[in-house]
Amino acid sequence: MFKKLDGYVIKSFFGPFLFIFSVLFFIFVVNIIWIQLAQFTGKGLSYWEILKLLAYLSVKVVQLVLPLTILLSSIMTFGDFGERYELAAMKAAGISLTRIMLPLFGVTVMLSFFLFLFSNNVIPDFQRKAKNMLYNIAATKPALNFTPGQFINQIPGYSVKFDEISGENGENIKGVFIHKMANSYESQQSIVAEKGKFVQADNRNYLKLILHNGHIFEENLSNADYFQRLRQPDQTIKFDTLVSHFNISEIINNALEAEQITDDYSFQNFIELNSTISKAQKENSNIIENLTNELVNQTSGYLSYIDKVQPKTQIKPIPKTDTLKPQKKQEMLLYAYTKIEGLKNLNESKKTQVKELHSYYSRIIMYQQRIFAYSVTCIIFFLIGSSLGSIIRKGGLGLPVVIAIVVFIIFYILNLSVENMAWAGEMDPYLASWLPNMVLFPFGAWLTYKALTDSQLFDIEKYRSMLKPVIQLFQKNKEHQRYR
């Protein structure tokens, strides 16, 4: 009997689970597409490469999609049981709610363990591939990486400078200067143009540039005859329109999968992050110690070696300002004011540096702890969802969806809030990683207790009767209709 019941409960759970997971996963992936869309357009990427990049980026969202799916699926499953009076029938047969929840609790524990393994082993690998692929995609379109007014050597074999760069994708340029970096035995060539435009080439191994109103300056070194080079040392060609193709196959052939970035903490699993945290803690301690010594030296250079040097002569006391001449007194006050202002500016700059160090250290810790924390969130969300479903006794996509969204929003806001506080140094990162779970677990335990005791938690009449004495205080006594 119990085997059939367990199978029925699990089957009823996985129906909405697969549907909800697919929908939520699609929604989160669409959000990623909107954020990363600018990096896909104008790159000459194939559909397969775009799909591969989206697959790398979308793996991360499983950490949030799976707990939310468990929450919503458990509410819908037990809500359907209550709405169809199946829950009442099971209880009438002597089966407790705890026994009914037991098979799904075991499934949730397995899903939590799966999420831990997925976060610990799969996500770091895909994070590495995604970050390196994004880096290499940016390198395949040099036009988007040019800085106006600066000479840049991104195109192999050329040094280029553009005075202005405009357009949605940085395709329009003005004030063009292109110099071919040739050796001593090759012809030296420079191109100057008023304006130009980058155009998508048929072959993505080439960068197509259309230039307008310019000149080509070329020093002829191809002829070995010295006297001929003297007669025609260089030449100038004026053009109205010039189409140039630059070979960027060296950049393309780095491959979109090439791993140029290898030292990011998000590429590591739970165990590897322990050594990264220890290393970051040690480096931060050394940097802060150096900053402290620097501030002390800026305050007074004598303090840095006061314990190491024995003065030969007695130190003269600082003269009182009242005994100084007005001009000397003014000079000393001006010097002190300048020194104080310099120390204030130095202190502000060091304060920013220390905050950045702490922020990076907190990011590593929170990334590590969330590998395990999100797995525990799955279990907490199951307790909340199954209890709410058995209490409200409503299935479908109406009220359960609303309640699940409210619970998830509370969790998500808590997550973001403590994350920002930890990065700002206002909260311990270990506490920040677990605080959302610590807040929601008592709520889940309380809801489970209410469900096991058949509490009418959402019975409006119950709350109305409790508040009736208070409501009557603000109501006027109405005369009975019969006595009017």
Side-chain angles (χ1 to χ4, degrees):
M1 174 183 175
F2 284 113
K3 287 184 178 180
K4 291 183 178 180
L5 177 64
D6 294 344
Y8 176 71
V9 172
I10 293 173
K11 182 180 177 181
S12 301
F13 174 79
F14 271 104
F17 176 87
L18 296 175
F19 171 73
I20 293 168
F21 184 86
S22 303
V23 172
L24 292 177
F25 187 80
F26 175 76
I27 293 173
F28 277 76
V29 170
V30 168
N31 183 50
I32 291 176
I33 294 175
W34 280 114
I35 294 174
Q36 304 288 345
L37 190 61
Q39 301 188 41
F40 300 152
T41 57
K43 300 290 187 178
L45 298 174
S46 65
Y47 290 113
W48 170 247
E49 290 166 343
I50 293 175
L51 289 174
K52 188 185 294 186
L53 178 58
L54 286 176
Y56 292 156
L57 293 172
S58 60
V59 167
K60 178 73 173 175
V61 305
V62 175
Q63 282 187 319
L64 289 177
V65 171
L66 186 59
L68 180 57
T69 304
I70 291 174
L71 172 65
L72 188 52
S73 301
S74 57
I75 292 178
M76 291 178 61
T77 301
F78 282 88
D80 285 335
F81 287 163
E83 192 173 21
R84 297 194 300 260
Y85 296 102
E86 292 177 332
L87 203 60
M90 294 177 192
K91 291 181 179 179
I95 304 173
S96 65
L97 181 61
T98 306
R99 182 63 186 81
I100 300 171
M101 293 170 60
L102 187 61
L104 287 187
F105 182 79
V107 170
T108 304
V109 171
M110 293 174 62
L111 289 173
S112 302
F113 185 66
F114 163 78
L115 182 59
F116 172 77
L117 295 178
F118 191 83
S119 303
N120 192 54
N121 301 308
V122 179
I123 290 181
D125 185 46
F126 277 64
Q127 285 280 92
R128 180 176 63 253
K129 292 179 179 179
K131 186 162 289 190
N132 280 283
M133 195 170 181
L134 286 172
Y135 173 82
N136 292 326
I137 286 174
T140 63
K141 193 69 172 178
L144 299 180
N145 297 327
F146 290 139
T147 304
Q150 293 184 11
F151 281 96
I152 297 177
N153 302 325
Q154 287 186 343
I155 301 178
Y158 292 88
S159 178
V160 300
K161 179 176 78 70
F162 307 132
D163 292 339
E164 294 182 22
I165 300 176
S166 60
E168 185 177 353
N169 295 317
E171 69 275 10
N172 300 319
I173 53 178
K174 290 183 179 181
V176 182
F177 180 86
I178 302 174
H179 176 69
K180 183 179 179 181
M181 295 183 292
N183 57 39
S184 350
Y185 304 99
E186 294 178 336
S187 297
Q188 306 291 322
Q189 186 186 79
S190 297
I191 302 174
V192 179
E194 182 182 335
K195 59 182 180 180
K197 184 175 183 178
F198 285 103
V199 180
Q200 185 72 39
D202 295 334
N203 187 344
R204 74 170 190 172
N205 288 327
Y206 288 87
L207 186 66
K208 184 178 180 180
L209 179 60
I210 302 176
L211 301 175
H212 302 283
N213 302 331
H215 295 82
I216 301 175
F217 302 95
E218 185 171 354
E219 184 180 357
N220 187 11
L221 296 179
S222 59
N223 195 331
D225 191 343
Y226 174 74
F227 295 102
Q228 273 192 328
R229 293 203 305 270
L230 287 178
R231 286 195 297 269
Q232 190 179 6
D234 51 28
Q235 58 183 344
T236 303
I237 303 173
K238 186 179 184 301
F239 63 84
D240 294 326
T241 301
L242 176 68
V243 179
S244 298
H245 287 78
F246 300 95
N247 189 349
I248 58 171
S249 58
E250 285 185 27
I251 300 174
I252 301 294
N253 291 335
N254 283 336
L256 297 178
E257 301 291 338
E259 296 187 358
Q260 307 289 338
I261 308 171
T262 57
D263 58 348
D264 197 288
Y265 64 86
S266 61
F267 305 162
Q268 300 174 336
N269 59 33
F270 194 92
I271 302 299
E272 293 171 343
L273 284 167
N274 286 328
S275 59
T276 303
I277 291 172
S278 301
K279 181 181 177 182
Q281 190 174 16
K282 185 177 180 180
E283 290 177 353
N284 289 353
S285 300
N286 293 334
I287 292 173
I288 291 174
E289 185 178 353
N290 293 334
L291 292 177
T292 304
N293 294 334
E294 185 177 350
L295 288 172
V296 170
N297 291 336
Q298 288 290 334
T299 305
S300 175
Y302 178 70
L303 294 176
S304 60
Y305 58 88
I306 189 171
D307 296 331
K308 303 175 182 178
V309 180
Q310 184 69 27
K312 297 180 180 179
T313 58
Q314 188 176 2
I315 300 174
K316 295 181 180 180
I318 300 175
K320 295 182 180 180
T321 55
D322 298 337
T323 61
L324 298 175
K325 294 180 180 180
Q327 184 177 359
K328 189 69 174 176
K329 179 179 179 181
Q330 187 176 4
E331 290 177 358
M332 286 189 66
L333 291 174
L334 181 61
Y335 173 77
Y337 176 79
T338 306
K339 190 76 172 177
I340 291 172
E341 287 297 316
L343 287 172
K344 286 171 64 178
N345 295 332
L346 180 64
N347 185 47
E348 285 298 321
S349 65
K350 301 305 179 186
K351 182 179 179 181
T352 304
Q353 187 176 352
V354 171
K355 287 181 68 175
E356 291 175 354
L357 291 173
H358 183 79
S359 176
Y360 178 73
Y361 177 69
S362 299
R363 288 170 189 265
I364 301 174
I365 291 176
M366 294 194 69
Y367 181 83
Q368 183 202 41
Q369 294 300 309
R370 281 177 172 174
I371 293 176
F372 189 64
Y374 282 139
S375 300
V376 177
T377 304
C378 293
I379 299 175
I380 296 174
F381 274 9
F382 170 74
L383 294 176
I384 295 174
S386 57
S387 303
L388 282 174
S390 62
I391 292 172
I392 62 176
R393 298 173 184 174
K394 291 287 183 181
L397 294 173
L399 185 60
V401 174
V402 175
I403 295 175
I405 290 175
V406 170
V407 173
F408 182 76
I409 287 175
I410 293 172
F411 170 79
Y412 192 70
I413 291 175
L414 277 172
N415 229 16
L416 289 180
S417 301
V418 297
E419 182 180 85
N420 293 329
M421 292 174 67
W423 292 355
E426 299 173 1
M427 181 179 291
D428 182 78
Y430 287 100
L431 175 62
S433 304
W434 289 93
L435 189 61
N437 287 346
M438 294 168 64
V439 171
L440 289 178
F441 178 73
F443 178 64
W446 177 72
L447 282 177
T448 304
Y449 169 75
K450 288 293 184 180
L452 294 176
T453 55
D454 292 327
S455 174
Q456 300 298 320
L457 191 62
F458 292 95
D459 188 356
I460 299 177
E461 293 298 327
K462 177 182 177 181
Y463 294 105
R464 185 177 294 175
S465 61
M466 291 174 59
L467 297 174
K468 188 175 181 179
V470 180
I471 295 173
Q472 287 179 345
L473 294 176
F474 298 95
Q475 287 183 342
K476 294 182 179 179
N477 294 326
K478 294 183 180 180
E479 186 180 5
H480 199 278
Q481 186 74 22
R482 191 177 62 181
Y483 297 105
R484 286 184 178 179

